[in-house]
Amino acid sequence: MIIGYTTGVFDLFHIGHLNILRRAKEQCDYLIVGVTVDELVSYKGKKAFIPYEERAAIVEAIKYVDKVVPQTSMDKMAAWEKYRFDRMFVGDDWKGTDTWNRLEKEFAEVGVEIVYFPYTKQTSSSELRAALNKLNQRQ
């Protein structure tokens, strides 16, 4: 059995999120999804519009997802030690970064394959967030 793992904030859930989950499930038998807790969202200097419990419930309801876990740390190797996944799925906007180059080497040592998926360019949480902020400023 191939166990897959991916993480995300999954705030303002959109087609890009669904695409990652669908593509991940196509490449594993059991998909674990780490949903970033509210306290950790601040690493991006942002605040989630939707609270963690609701974001986790939305992701859990997606038919491609077998298990939702809280992502309480950015330490992907600690997640592997806990969940022992075989494949890690991530958007290709991270490919080639120092962090992911390092993670590729670390994961290769324990037999984990990193699979990059194309970033969905037509919709992003950042764009949705900006539009909502503009609406709030007008009111």
Side-chain angles (χ1 to χ4, degrees):
M1 180 163 80
I2 297 171
I3 299 172
Y5 182 74
T6 192
T7 64
V9 176
F10 300 102
D11 197 23
L12 305 175
F13 197 90
H14 58 76
I15 193 66
H17 296 135
L18 187 61
N19 287 342
I20 285 178
L21 298 175
R22 179 187 310 116
R23 290 177 182 143
K25 183 62 176 181
E26 289 170 354
Q27 295 192 32
C28 67
D29 301 304
Y30 189 84
L31 181 61
I32 302 169
V33 180
V35 176
T36 309
V37 297
D38 294 335
E39 297 78 16
L40 192 59
V41 172
S42 62
Y43 85 94
K44 289 185 171 182
K46 299 176 183 174
K47 182 180 186 303
F49 276 95
I50 300 170
Y52 166 78
E53 292 80 12
E54 293 177 22
R55 291 183 284 114
I58 290 166
V59 173
E60 190 172 48
I62 305 298
K63 69 180 179 180
Y64 309 113
V65 176
D66 294 296
K67 182 177 184 174
V68 170
V69 297
Q71 179 182 225
T72 59
S73 165
M74 296 303 293
D75 186 341
K76 305 300 187 201
M77 287 305 293
W80 176 79
E81 289 170 8
K82 188 169 186 176
Y83 304 113
R84 298 295 177 159
F85 47 85
D86 304 294
R87 291 189 181 143
M88 170 97 192
F89 304 103
V90 64
D92 67 359
D93 50 327
W94 293 103
K95 188 174 179 75
T97 64
D98 291 342
T99 298
W100 282 92
N101 286 340
R102 176 184 51 80
L103 284 170
E104 283 181 27
K105 291 176 186 171
E106 289 177 13
F107 277 127
E109 291 176 10
V110 295
V112 173
E113 177 186 4
I114 305 257
V115 179
Y116 294 96
F117 292 129
Y119 185 75
T120 304
K121 294 182 174 124
Q122 69 267 24
T123 306
S124 78
S125 294
S126 298
E127 290 176 7
L128 292 171
R129 185 176 286 104
L132 285 172
N133 284 336
K134 281 184 183 179
L135 285 173
N136 285 338
Q137 289 172 355
R138 289 183 194 161
Q139 296 175 351

